[in-house]
Amino acid sequence: MKRSLLLYLTILFALTTLFTYVFLSNEVSFEQKRFDKSTTRLKDSLTSLSNQLADANYFSLAKNENAQNYFENQNTQKTIQYEKLIPVVTEKLLDYNSNPKGNPYTGQDQIGANKFIVNKVKILNHRWIIADFSDGEIWGEVLLKYFVNEDETISFEVNQSLLYQK
């Protein structure tokens, strides 16, 4: 009786060990496949997002070599670095928000109680800026021309402005 019980226990132990080994080896391969699928999906998502970002920045002074070269070739003695120009132009445009009648470069006169101010600015190239503006209730966009003058001041000119319907 003891021998048959010992034999049954040994067989049960061997089968349990065998099933555990098979289960764990399959689990490892399953987890590896799941990890590989997740990694592939994440790489695809990252590639897709990188492509979307590149497309979104296509019209940007930071990515437009022709517009960057304009500042290098404009005056051989004086080269304007576009990396430093982008924040300066943005800051200059946003400084006009402090005007009591609103930012004059929104291309819109004050309609209600609030003045129009520029919220976001994107410098498209060596000549154009697109900006988002609002008075808190009404939103719009404006296309501006900007110029870097000889005395290194920045001047703006409204090209076109539009307001969105409420």
Side-chain angles (χ1 to χ4, degrees):
M1 177 103 155
K2 280 186 170 184
R3 286 182 124 183
S4 60
L5 181 63
L6 192 56
L7 180 63
Y8 286 131
L9 287 177
T10 305
I11 292 172
L12 184 63
F13 176 74
L15 285 175
T16 305
T17 304
L18 179 67
F19 286 131
T20 303
Y21 172 76
V22 169
F23 172 76
L24 290 177
S25 64
N26 286 339
E27 183 182 27
V28 167
S29 66
F30 172 76
E31 289 296 326
Q32 183 64 40
K33 287 178 186 176
R34 194 169 95 183
F35 175 76
D36 291 342
K37 283 181 184 178
S38 297
T39 303
T40 303
R41 188 174 42 226
L42 289 174
K43 284 180 182 176
D44 291 345
S45 296
L46 184 59
T47 301
S48 173
L49 285 174
S50 296
N51 290 339
Q52 287 177 358
L53 182 61
D55 288 346
N57 283 330
Y58 181 79
F59 291 107
S60 171
L61 179 60
K63 300 291 181 185
N64 187 336
E65 287 185 30
N66 293 325
Q68 294 167 11
N69 291 337
Y70 172 83
F71 292 114
E72 291 175 6
N73 295 332
Q74 184 180 19
N75 188 344
T76 55
Q77 296 175 350
K78 198 185 292 184
T79 300
I80 300 172
Q81 295 178 343
Y82 71 91
E83 301 96 346
K84 294 180 181 177
L85 180 68
I86 292 172
V88 168
V89 171
T90 302
E91 184 180 325
K92 280 285 191 193
L93 184 58
L94 293 176
D95 284 346
Y96 287 104
N97 286 345
S98 61
N99 187 330
K101 292 185 178 183
N103 194 319
Y105 296 109
T106 60
Q108 301 292 328
D109 294 328
Q110 186 172 339
I111 295 175
N114 299 328
K115 62 183 182 176
F116 283 112
I117 60 170
V118 172
N119 301 313
K120 289 203 179 264
V121 176
K122 180 160 184 162
I123 300 176
L124 300 176
N125 57 25
H126 64 286
R127 186 60 63 222
W128 296 333
I129 297 173
I130 189 166
D132 170 73
F133 64 90
S134 75
D135 68 354
E137 295 177 17
I138 302 172
W139 297 84
E141 292 178 353
V142 63
L143 184 63
L144 300 168
K145 287 184 180 180
Y146 75 98
F147 305 94
V148 180
N149 302 321
E150 290 293 324
D151 60 352
E152 295 187 11
T153 59
I154 310 292
S155 58
F156 300 97
E157 179 183 305
V158 175
N159 194 358
Q160 189 150 13
S161 177
L162 67 93
L163 289 174
Y164 290 111
Q165 299 282 331
K166 282 188 177 183

